[in-house]
Amino acid sequence: MGMYEVSFKLRHECPYREISERFPGVSIREWYLRDCQVLEITALDADDGELLEVIDGLGTVLHTAVDGSDLNVIVQSCSCPIEESIVRKFERHNCVHLPPTVYRNGWEHYSVIGFDENDVTALLAELDEDREIDILSKTSIEERHVPHSSLLSVDRLFDGLTKRQLEALRIALDAGYYNQPRDASIEELAEETTVARATFEEHLRKAENKLVENAGQFVRLLTETQEDVLRAGPQRAPTTADSD
């Protein structure tokens, strides 16, 4: 017995995967909602008429936002009936799917929690029978980690960040921008790119803000049972001893 978190990518017939293969700059995140899916679609080219037409054909567009040339669209779709979904295979092998499913560059990316190594092994063997599959990681989850992180997808930390924002964050990390003291300035970071300083800084600040916002759920989970060490407690009335 033992819990495992497994991440893998695979290929099989699915319209969302095919879109990500047809448009390499597109990422699709998928959540299940009753008998349909909610898709978050991000793309680098908001002016791609062919892509916009494909997105319109997926279902009901709930939200559209453009940040520079970056496109972010939320769609309610029913292109992959859940009864035919790979998620049903997870359930049959007692594995918990960690949403969202991510479609990128012609691959479907999944993470699951298995409560027994035999269940995980059986699931991966069944998937390998009729699909191209690549196991990205298989990690044992220690019991002491379960209340904190075992059922939360790390991908949720990066929800809503565009590729340009993520790239700005990576450049800053690689250059030691977050070291104390800093090893690089915003000006020096921007010089490594093809965009103006103000544009680079905007991408970086939006990435930081979104990352902290997304991390809030994890911070609250980790601290909800801990004793406050920073918050001010009730103020007691001064005593004679205090004035001596």
Side-chain angles (χ1 to χ4, degrees), residues 42 44 67 70-72 158 160-167 203:
T42 57
L44 295 178
D67 181 6
D70 293 335
L71 175 68
N72 185 270
F158 303 98
L161 273 74
T162 68
K163 288 190 175 182
R164 285 182 174 83
Q165 291 165 4
L166 282 171
E167 177 68 7
H203 288 321

Side-chain angles (χ1 to χ4, degrees), residues 88-143:
R88 295 304 191 200
K89 293 183 182 291
F90 301 161
E91 295 172 356
R92 288 200 296 271
H93 290 282
N94 301 313
C95 291
V96 177
H97 177 222
L98 302 180
T101 302
V102 180
Y103 302 86
R104 184 184 300 118
N105 295 326
W107 289 90
E108 301 176 33
H109 295 254
Y110 294 91
S111 291
V112 300
I113 292 288
F115 298 97
D116 185 286
E117 187 174 12
N118 292 331
D119 290 331
V120 173
T121 300
L123 170 64
L124 296 176
E126 180 177 346
L127 293 175
D128 193 41
E129 290 177 358
D130 56 359
R131 295 169 172 84
E132 181 181 358
I133 184 171
D134 185 5
I135 311 300
L136 302 176
S137 67
K138 180 182 177 184
T139 307
S140 175
I141 301 174
E142 298 179 21
E143 183 177 354

Side-chain angles (χ1 to χ4, degrees), residues 67 161 165 201-211:
D67 181 6
L161 273 74
Q165 291 165 4
E201 185 171 18
E202 181 181 6
H203 288 321
L204 184 60
R205 297 302 173 231
K206 286 184 176 180
E208 293 169 343
N209 292 339
K210 193 64 180 177
L211 196 60

